[in-house]
Amino acid sequence: MGADRLEAVDQLLGSMTVPALLVNRWLDIVGSNVLGDFLHEGMEPRDNYARLVFLAPGAQAFFTEWPELARCMVAALRAQAGSEVGSARLTQLLKELAAHSDVFRTAWGEHHLYEKAIDRKLFQHPRVGSLALDQHVLELPGSDGHRIWAFHPADDATSNALVRLASSAPPFGRPSPEAADLTTKEGNRRSGCERKDQAPGAA
Protein backbone atom coordinates (compact mmCIF):
# COMPACT_ATOMS: atom_id res chain seq x y z
CA MET A 1 0.00 0.00 0.00
CA GLY A 2 1.44 3.34 -1.06
CA ALA A 3 1.98 6.17 1.38
CA ASP A 4 -0.85 8.31 -0.04
CA ARG A 5 -3.38 5.51 0.20
CA LEU A 6 -2.18 4.52 3.64
CA GLU A 7 -2.70 8.10 4.80
CA ALA A 8 -6.19 8.13 3.30
CA VAL A 9 -7.10 4.87 5.02
CA ASP A 10 -5.72 6.19 8.31
CA GLN A 11 -8.01 9.21 7.98
CA LEU A 12 -10.91 6.84 7.31
CA LEU A 13 -10.09 4.88 10.46
CA GLY A 14 -9.98 8.10 12.44
CA SER A 15 -13.45 9.10 11.26
CA MET A 16 -15.04 5.80 12.31
CA THR A 17 -17.05 5.79 15.53
CA VAL A 18 -16.29 2.15 16.38
CA PRO A 19 -12.94 0.46 17.13
CA ALA A 20 -11.11 -0.22 13.88
CA LEU A 21 -7.75 -1.68 12.85
CA LEU A 22 -5.89 -1.91 9.56
CA VAL A 23 -4.11 -5.27 9.18
CA ASN A 24 -2.04 -6.78 6.39
CA ARG A 25 -1.92 -10.37 5.20
CA TRP A 26 0.44 -11.36 8.01
CA LEU A 27 -1.98 -9.82 10.56
CA ASP A 28 0.46 -7.00 11.31
CA ILE A 29 -1.49 -4.09 12.80
CA VAL A 30 -0.62 -1.36 10.32
CA GLY A 31 -3.04 1.26 11.61
CA SER A 32 -5.66 1.86 14.28
CA ASN A 33 -8.09 4.52 15.39
CA VAL A 34 -8.30 5.72 18.98
CA LEU A 35 -11.02 3.26 19.99
CA GLY A 36 -9.05 0.46 18.34
CA ASP A 37 -6.10 1.41 20.52
CA PHE A 38 -8.26 1.65 23.63
CA LEU A 39 -10.04 -1.63 22.91
CA HIS A 40 -6.72 -3.47 23.24
CA GLU A 41 -5.14 -1.27 25.89
CA GLY A 42 -2.75 -2.98 28.23
CA MET A 43 -2.11 -5.80 25.73
CA GLU A 44 1.44 -6.15 24.44
CA PRO A 45 2.84 -6.99 21.93
CA ARG A 46 0.37 -5.12 19.77
CA ASP A 47 2.22 -4.94 16.44
CA ASN A 48 0.70 -8.18 15.10
CA TYR A 49 -2.68 -9.65 16.03
CA ALA A 50 -1.44 -13.24 16.10
CA ARG A 51 1.40 -12.23 18.42
CA LEU A 52 -1.13 -10.39 20.59
CA VAL A 53 -3.39 -13.45 20.85
CA PHE A 54 -0.64 -15.98 21.54
CA LEU A 55 2.11 -14.02 23.29
CA ALA A 56 0.48 -11.17 25.25
CA PRO A 57 0.35 -11.84 29.01
CA GLY A 58 -3.29 -12.00 30.04
CA ALA A 59 -4.58 -12.72 26.54
CA GLN A 60 -6.51 -15.80 27.64
CA ALA A 61 -8.42 -13.69 30.17
CA PHE A 62 -8.85 -10.72 27.84
CA PHE A 63 -10.32 -12.78 24.98
CA THR A 64 -13.29 -14.53 26.59
CA GLU A 65 -13.33 -17.36 24.04
CA TRP A 66 -9.57 -17.62 23.65
CA PRO A 67 -9.31 -21.33 22.64
CA GLU A 68 -11.62 -20.87 19.66
CA LEU A 69 -10.12 -17.50 18.78
CA ALA A 70 -6.67 -19.08 18.77
CA ARG A 71 -7.73 -21.80 16.33
CA CYS A 72 -9.48 -19.30 14.07
CA MET A 73 -6.47 -16.97 14.17
CA VAL A 74 -4.16 -19.72 12.93
CA ALA A 75 -6.56 -20.73 10.16
CA ALA A 76 -7.04 -17.10 9.10
CA LEU A 77 -3.29 -16.51 9.04
CA ARG A 78 -2.77 -19.58 6.86
CA ALA A 79 -5.56 -18.49 4.50
CA GLN A 80 -4.23 -14.95 4.18
CA ALA A 81 -0.66 -16.16 3.69
CA GLY A 82 -1.82 -18.08 0.60
CA SER A 83 0.91 -18.90 -1.86
CA GLU A 84 3.48 -16.94 0.17
CA VAL A 85 3.40 -19.43 3.03
CA GLY A 86 7.16 -19.94 2.65
CA SER A 87 8.12 -16.26 2.67
CA ALA A 88 10.85 -15.03 5.01
CA ARG A 89 8.44 -12.63 6.74
CA LEU A 90 5.93 -15.36 7.54
CA THR A 91 8.61 -17.90 8.43
CA GLN A 92 10.00 -15.54 11.07
CA LEU A 93 6.54 -15.01 12.56
CA LEU A 94 5.71 -18.72 12.55
CA LYS A 95 8.97 -19.65 14.26
CA GLU A 96 8.34 -17.17 17.06
CA LEU A 97 4.74 -18.28 17.63
CA ALA A 98 5.57 -21.99 17.47
CA ALA A 99 8.46 -21.55 19.90
CA HIS A 100 6.20 -19.99 22.54
CA SER A 101 2.82 -21.65 22.02
CA ASP A 102 2.00 -25.35 21.86
CA VAL A 103 -1.55 -24.41 20.83
CA PHE A 104 -0.28 -22.47 17.83
CA ARG A 105 2.14 -25.20 16.80
CA THR A 106 -0.58 -27.87 16.91
CA ALA A 107 -3.18 -25.75 15.11
CA TRP A 108 -0.79 -24.74 12.33
CA GLY A 109 -0.06 -28.39 11.64
CA GLU A 110 -3.78 -29.09 11.08
CA HIS A 111 -3.73 -27.07 7.80
CA HIS A 112 -7.16 -25.49 8.26
CA LEU A 113 -8.12 -22.40 6.28
CA TYR A 114 -10.57 -19.77 7.42
CA GLU A 115 -11.87 -16.70 5.58
CA LYS A 116 -14.18 -14.50 7.62
CA ALA A 117 -16.56 -11.68 6.79
CA ILE A 118 -18.07 -11.19 10.25
CA ASP A 119 -17.34 -12.69 13.67
CA ARG A 120 -18.76 -12.21 17.15
CA LYS A 121 -15.86 -11.35 19.47
CA LEU A 122 -16.11 -11.33 23.26
CA PHE A 123 -13.66 -9.32 25.37
CA GLN A 124 -13.13 -8.80 29.08
CA HIS A 125 -11.78 -5.28 29.07
CA PRO A 126 -9.74 -4.16 32.10
CA ARG A 127 -11.59 -0.83 32.42
CA VAL A 128 -15.11 -1.32 31.09
CA GLY A 129 -15.73 -5.04 31.59
CA SER A 130 -17.49 -7.43 29.20
CA LEU A 131 -17.76 -6.42 25.55
CA ALA A 132 -19.59 -8.18 22.71
CA LEU A 133 -18.44 -6.87 19.34
CA ASP A 134 -19.24 -7.93 15.80
CA GLN A 135 -15.99 -7.83 13.84
CA HIS A 136 -16.58 -6.84 10.22
CA VAL A 137 -13.78 -7.55 7.72
CA LEU A 138 -13.62 -4.94 4.96
CA GLU A 139 -11.48 -5.86 1.95
CA LEU A 140 -9.32 -3.16 0.36
CA PRO A 141 -8.92 -4.08 -3.33
CA GLY A 142 -5.49 -3.53 -4.83
CA SER A 143 -3.80 -3.25 -1.44
CA ASP A 144 -1.90 -6.57 -1.38
CA GLY A 145 -4.00 -8.16 1.35
CA HIS A 146 -4.74 -5.19 3.61
CA ARG A 147 -8.10 -5.24 5.38
CA ILE A 148 -9.99 -3.08 7.83
CA TRP A 149 -11.36 -4.80 10.92
CA ALA A 150 -14.27 -2.78 12.32
CA PHE A 151 -15.73 -3.82 15.68
CA HIS A 152 -19.41 -2.89 15.99
CA PRO A 153 -21.18 -3.18 19.38
CA ALA A 154 -23.51 -6.18 19.47
CA ASP A 155 -25.66 -4.93 22.36
CA ASP A 156 -26.56 -1.79 24.31
CA ALA A 157 -24.23 -2.61 27.18
CA THR A 158 -21.26 -2.78 24.80
CA SER A 159 -22.35 0.41 23.05
CA ASN A 160 -22.41 2.21 26.40
CA ALA A 161 -19.02 0.78 27.33
CA LEU A 162 -17.52 2.11 24.08
CA VAL A 163 -18.91 5.55 24.90
CA ARG A 164 -17.05 5.40 28.21
CA LEU A 165 -13.86 4.44 26.39
CA ALA A 166 -14.31 7.21 23.84
CA SER A 167 -14.82 9.81 26.56
CA SER A 168 -11.13 9.59 27.44
CA ALA A 169 -10.01 10.07 23.82
CA PRO A 170 -9.97 13.02 21.40
CA PRO A 171 -12.59 12.80 18.59
CA PHE A 172 -10.02 11.90 15.94
CA GLY A 173 -6.36 10.99 15.84
CA ARG A 174 -4.22 9.35 18.49
CA PRO A 175 -4.68 9.29 22.27
CA SER A 176 -3.68 12.35 24.25
CA PRO A 177 -0.53 12.06 26.42
CA GLU A 178 -2.78 11.67 29.46
CA ALA A 179 -4.74 8.87 27.82
CA ALA A 180 -1.57 7.18 26.61
CA ASP A 181 -0.23 7.26 30.18
CA LEU A 182 -3.47 5.72 31.42
CA THR A 183 -3.13 2.98 28.83
CA THR A 184 0.34 2.04 30.00
CA LYS A 185 -0.88 1.80 33.62
CA GLU A 186 -3.80 0.24 33.48
CA GLY A 187 -16.57 -15.74 16.86
CA ASN A 188 -18.05 -16.10 14.81
CA ARG A 189 -21.71 -15.52 15.73
CA ARG A 190 -21.59 -18.25 18.38
CA SER A 191 -21.50 -20.92 15.66
CA GLY A 192 -17.86 -21.87 15.88
CA CYS A 193 -14.99 -21.28 13.48
CA GLU A 194 -16.18 -22.18 9.99
CA ARG A 195 -13.13 -23.43 8.17
CA LYS A 196 -12.30 -24.56 4.69
CA ASP A 197 -10.26 -27.66 5.38
CA GLN A 198 -7.18 -28.28 3.32
CA ALA A 199 -5.46 -31.57 2.75
CA PRO A 200 -2.40 -32.18 4.97
CA GLY A 201 0.79 -31.06 3.30
CA ALA A 202 -0.83 -28.33 1.23
CA ALA A 203 0.05 -24.68 1.76
Side-chain angles (χ1 to χ4, degrees):
M1 185 181 293
D4 290 344
R5 189 176 186 191
L6 184 60
E7 181 179 357
V9 173
D10 191 60
Q11 291 176 354
L12 173 63
L13 294 179
S15 70
M16 298 175 74
T17 59
V18 298
L21 307 177
L22 175 65
V23 300
N24 66 14
R25 67 173 59 209
W26 314 124
L27 304 185
D28 294 322
I29 301 175
V30 180
S32 174
N33 65 5
V34 169
L35 275 177
D37 290 337
F38 281 15
L39 175 61
H40 299 92
E41 69 182 43
M43 303 294 291
E44 296 293 344
R46 214 189 309 179
D47 58 336
N48 177 281
Y49 214 85
R51 295 183 76 233
L52 187 154
V53 169
F54 287 99
L55 304 183
Q60 295 190 36
F62 181 79
F63 297 104
T64 305
E65 297 180 322
W66 186 88
E68 176 152 343
L69 172 63
R71 292 191 297 270
C72 291
M73 186 62 54
V74 173
L77 181 60
R78 181 178 281 280
Q80 291 198 45
S83 61
E84 298 186 43
V85 70
S87 75
R89 170 69 184 90
L90 182 60
T91 297
Q92 178 185 21
L93 177 62
L94 297 182
K95 284 184 176 179
E96 179 184 17
L97 296 175
H100 294 90
S101 174
D102 293 338
V103 173
F104 177 87
R105 187 166 54 250
T106 299
W108 185 262
E110 293 172 351
H111 294 273
H112 292 302
L113 298 179
Y114 173 49
E115 291 282 0
K116 62 185 173 182
I118 182 171
D119 280 347
R120 176 66 54 83
K121 299 296 186 186
L122 305 179
F123 301 85
Q124 189 63 37
H125 194 276
R127 277 206 290 136
V128 295
S130 298
L131 300 172
L133 294 160
D134 289 331
Q135 178 192 358
H136 298 262
V137 178
L138 310 178
E139 301 278 357
L140 297 177
S143 65
D144 194 29
H146 288 75
R147 302 174 179 189
I148 292 175
W149 289 359
F151 297 86
H152 190 271
D155 53 40
D156 289 342
T158 297
S159 182
N160 292 334
L162 291 183
V163 170
R164 296 199 301 275
L165 277 179
S167 67
S168 59
F172 302 105
R174 300 302 177 186
S176 64
E178 294 80 6
D181 183 62
L182 173 63
T183 298
T184 59
K185 291 178 180 175
E186 301 244 299
N188 300 305
R189 291 188 176 275
R190 316 298 297 167
S191 60
C193 178
E194 298 177 5
R195 308 170 190 152
K196 299 175 183 178
D197 287 352
Q198 182 176 3

